[in-house]
Each structure stands twice: as structure tokens, then as C-alpha cells.
Amino acid sequence: MGRTELRVELLHHTHCPEQLVALAAKLCYSSADIGELKKGVTERDQSHFIRKLADMGHLTPVEHASFTFGVEGISRSLLAQITRHRIASFSVKSQRYVSEDSAAKEDGVFNYIIPPRIADLGAAEVQEYARQMAQIQQWYDNWLEKLADYGDAAREDARFILPNAAETKLVVTMNARELMHFFALRCCNRAQWEIRALATEMLRLVRRESPELFRNAGPGCLTGPCPEGAMCCGEQVKVREMFRKL
């Protein structure tokens, strides 16, 4: 397939996440039993209460809601960044067990990501980049052949020649509070372009399912001054408008 692009799908999420968060929060302040609380949150709209929780900064109940995403068309470079978010669960396509040999590829080249700045340089530079990926494919195939006597273990060592641009796929689960933290850091204009695109698409998907819970989610400048200080991008008005329309 060669060149590929980001694809994100919300695979699963906690059923009625806002009702669950409201129930958990109300339990902290009520003498009612869980059955009564459950009935109350299902019979009444919880939007106002969810907003109140956010304003109070009472976010521990938010941790009860979780969201699981399927992600394709991302680089190994992005993988190194997202796994720094340790309050999350990851399942990742293995280069050790899944071969990247050319015979298994539709276009004879492993899938790879091309940075937009390189793409913007023009067709000639994109072709040069593609040739470099094809050359790496040849090197990878060559090492597989030389290490063939080791059977399946050949992939363990041949993969060392693959670049950060090589595509990977993952399933990732985060609770809603960690997602808010993730969005605050990674939707920021100062975040690396690839993980920023991923975070923004994840936010768009969760807002569909839980609009009140993620109403103010996004980069840190949405609800206050830019947390980057002197490193601020200077585009707060534009950023706020973009995430308002997301």
C-alpha cells in the first residue's frame, strides 16, 4: 500500500457515560442508596450537574467512564509519544510477529507516513521520499533472507532497519479524565503535528457520545490563559473557534 493516512474509530465506550459519572458523583454527597441514585440520574437530564462537577474541579467521578479507540495509519514515532500517557491501555501491532516483507504488501512496500511539510515541498520530493521507503524495504527483505535460518525469529532483527515512518496500528483505552489530560496536552498547537491530529479526531468522536463531559476538553487555552507562557503560539482566538466548531 505504501503511503497511508490516519484513521480513527471509537470502538467502544462506557454505556451512558454521563449518567454513570453523575451517579458516582452524587453518591459522594447523598445518603440515598445506589438504586435511588440510579433511578434519579436516568430520569433527569444530567447536563447541568456535569457542568457543575467540571466547575468544581471534582474529576474523580469522571474516571469511571472509559473510551476505546481503534487507530490505524500512524507512525512508530507517534507510538513513542502516546505510550508516555501511562494511565491508558495499549494493544499494538507487533513488528516482531507481523512481517513487513514486500511479498505480503500490495504495492511491494510497507505502509508508511509522510510528514505534511515534506508533502508540501512538492511531487518530486514526495517521490524521493517514496524511493527511500522502497530502498528500506529492500534492505528489510535482504535481512529477512540472510536470517532465514532462524525461521520466524528473523523478523526480530530485520525490523531494526525499519524507520520511524513505518505504519503501526493500535487499540487504546483511556478513562475520561485521562482523555481530558491527553487533549489538553496533545490538541495544543505546540504538540507534534501527528499526535495533534490524532488527539483532535479522538476528541471529535467522544464529543458525539458525551457532549457535556467533553464540552470544554481540548488544549489548555480554551478556558483560560495559554499554559505555554512565553512559548504560546499566539493563536488563541483561532484555536478556541476551531474547537468550538469541532
Side-chain angles (χ1 to χ4, degrees), residues 103-135:
K105 305 301 174 185
E106 183 177 335
D107 296 330
V109 180
F110 60 86
N111 291 351
Y112 59 83
I113 315 303
I114 181 167
R117 295 185 189 93
I118 292 179
D120 289 346
L121 293 175
E125 282 72 18
V126 170
Q127 289 176 3
E128 178 183 355
Y129 189 89
R131 285 194 298 270
Q132 291 170 349
M133 296 299 107
Q135 177 62 73

Side-chain angles (χ1 to χ4, degrees), residues 153-180:
R155 292 189 296 268
E156 289 188 359
D157 295 338
R159 64 180 168 159
F160 277 73
I161 204 71
L162 294 171
N164 275 340
E167 184 207 26
T168 194
K169 303 173 184 179
L170 61 85
V171 171
V172 55
T173 301
M174 296 186 188
N175 70 51
R177 186 177 186 179
E178 177 60 16
L179 276 172
M180 291 174 182

Side-chain angles (χ1 to χ4, degrees), residues 2-127:
R3 182 176 178 178
T4 189
E5 296 180 349
L6 175 68
R7 297 174 299 283
V8 187
E9 180 180 353
L10 181 57
L11 299 176
H12 182 79
H13 62 82
T14 301
H15 180 62
C16 299
E18 293 182 355
Q19 290 183 9
L20 177 61
V21 169
L23 187 155
K26 288 176 183 290
L27 180 67
C28 299
Y29 305 105
S30 174
S31 60
D33 61 33
I34 291 177
E36 292 176 282
L37 292 172
K38 183 178 179 181
K39 182 179 179 181
V41 299
T42 55
E43 290 179 346
R44 291 187 294 274
D45 180 26
Q46 298 302 314
S47 299
H48 177 73
F49 185 72
I50 295 294
R51 293 185 186 187
K52 183 179 178 181
L53 278 181
D55 292 341
M56 292 170 58
H58 186 186
L59 296 180
T60 51
V62 176
E63 296 173 12
H64 293 291
S66 65
F67 297 79
T68 299
F69 305 85
V71 183
E72 299 178 301
I74 58 170
S75 70
R76 300 290 292 195
S77 178
L78 186 151
L79 180 63
Q81 297 180 76
I82 195 171
T83 50
R84 293 173 187 152
H85 294 268
R86 285 169 284 187
I87 306 178
S89 299
F90 300 96
S91 296
V92 182
K93 175 186 173 184
S94 172
Q95 289 182 336
R96 183 183 181 198
Y97 293 105
V98 181
S99 178
E100 296 289 355
D101 66 288
S102 57
K105 305 301 174 185
E106 183 177 335
D107 296 330
V109 180
F110 60 86
N111 291 351
Y112 59 83
I113 315 303
I114 181 167
R117 295 185 189 93
I118 292 179
D120 289 346
L121 293 175
E125 282 72 18
V126 170
Q127 289 176 3

Side-chain angles (χ1 to χ4, degrees), residues 185 188-191 196 221 225-236 239:
L185 296 179
C188 174
N189 274 356
R190 286 188 50 76
R196 184 171 69 246
C221 64
C226 174
E228 295 292 319
M231 304 297 287
C232 178
C233 71
E235 298 183 341
Q236 189 177 44
V239 169

